[in-house]
């Protein structure tokens, strides 16, 4: 699905828009839907610069409530395919890959997958825990909940105080 033939990429700049079927990519168990890719190719004499933008929704599990919710993600990544490249490299915004003209194939599945996974937030908080300004609502412990806390926490606090 995310494989392109080098000989079909025209010289100069070209753009391709793709709607990727759901669950084609292995996102390590994270369901996604509506993945759209806008890919810009810039073919030069000895290199191809490819930049893709993606938009999708992923289903996450809230760290606070364990409720599932859909979260929108977007991102951009660039890959430079260069003939005769000595070393391949990766960073957060761009990769450098060898251009194998004889193989005639560019496969970007791994780069798309990694870019999506890197866009997943570390803290997964359900939207209901944000106020109208987008600020995180702090949790308040009720009195009856505070009394039901595990008594071992008090012992740990005392231990911490004596070790300081």
């Amino acid at each position: 699905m995310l494989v392109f033939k080098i000989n079909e990429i025209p010289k100069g700049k070209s753009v391709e828009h793709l709607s990727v079927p759901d669950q084609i990519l292995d996102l390590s168990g994270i369901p996604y839907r509506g993945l759209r890719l806008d890919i810009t190719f810039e073919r030069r004499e000895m290199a191809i610069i490819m930049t893709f933008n993606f938009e999708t929704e992923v289903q996450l599990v809230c760290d606070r409530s364990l409720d599932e919710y859909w979260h929108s993600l977007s991102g951009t990544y660039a890959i430079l395919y260069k003939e005769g490249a000595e070393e391949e490299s990766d960073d957060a915004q761009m990769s450098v890959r060898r251009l194998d003209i004889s193989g005639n194939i560019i496969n970007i599945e791994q780069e798309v997958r990694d870019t999506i996974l890197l866009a997943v937030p570390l803290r997964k908080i359900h939207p209901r825990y944000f106020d109208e300004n987008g600020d995180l609502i702090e949790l308040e412990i009720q009195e009856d909940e505070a009394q039901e806390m595990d008594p071992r926490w008090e012992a740990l606090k005392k231990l911490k105080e004596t070790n300081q």
Side-chain angles (χ1 to χ4, degrees):
M1 179 71 198
L2 300 176
V3 176
F4 302 93
K5 292 187 176 183
I6 295 171
N7 66 331
E8 293 177 358
I9 299 172
K11 293 224 186 266
K13 270 192 170 181
S14 60
V15 177
E16 190 157 338
H17 305 284
L18 298 175
S19 291
V20 180
D22 296 348
Q23 311 317 313
I24 288 277
L25 296 175
D26 175 20
L27 295 184
S28 301
I30 299 175
Y32 68 92
R33 65 183 180 195
L35 176 56
R36 290 178 307 285
L37 288 172
D38 296 322
I39 305 170
T40 303
F41 295 97
E42 187 174 338
R43 185 164 181 184
R44 298 181 179 171
E45 196 62 37
M46 303 287 283
I48 297 173
I49 301 170
M50 183 181 56
T51 305
F52 65 84
N53 300 311
F54 80 89
E55 289 183 10
T56 191
E57 285 186 315
V58 292
Q59 189 175 36
L60 302 175
V61 177
C62 177
D63 293 336
R64 285 186 176 181
S65 65
L66 299 179
D67 291 338
E68 293 180 345
Y69 66 100
W70 287 95
H71 181 76
S72 295
L73 295 179
S74 62
T76 301
Y77 199 72
I79 308 167
L80 169 63
Y81 292 95
K82 188 175 178 183
E83 225 178 304
E86 294 297 319
E87 292 185 24
E88 294 190 353
S89 64
D90 296 304
D91 67 27
Q93 288 86 29
M94 185 173 186
S95 292
V96 176
R97 300 275 184 259
R98 286 184 197 91
L99 181 62
D100 181 18
I101 298 289
S102 63
N104 198 33
I105 288 182
I106 292 177
N107 185 346
I108 63 167
E109 184 174 320
Q110 188 68 38
E111 287 84 358
V112 171
R113 176 191 177 277
D114 292 348
T115 304
I116 293 170
L117 288 175
L118 287 172
V120 173
L122 292 177
R123 291 183 66 196
K124 299 163 190 75
I125 306 295
H126 196 287
R128 72 171 169 259
Y129 294 111
F130 292 94
D131 63 16
E132 60 275 352
N133 297 326
D135 296 326
L136 186 62
I137 299 170
E138 293 298 322
L139 290 178
E140 296 178 14
I141 298 177
Q142 304 296 325
E143 284 298 316
D144 55 342
E145 290 178 14
Q147 292 173 356
E148 294 177 17
M149 287 212 299
D150 192 333
R152 294 176 289 183
W153 285 114
E154 285 303 318
L156 285 172
K157 286 180 187 176
K158 287 179 186 175
L159 182 63
K160 181 180 176 185
E161 289 171 4
T162 59
N163 287 336
Q164 289 182 353

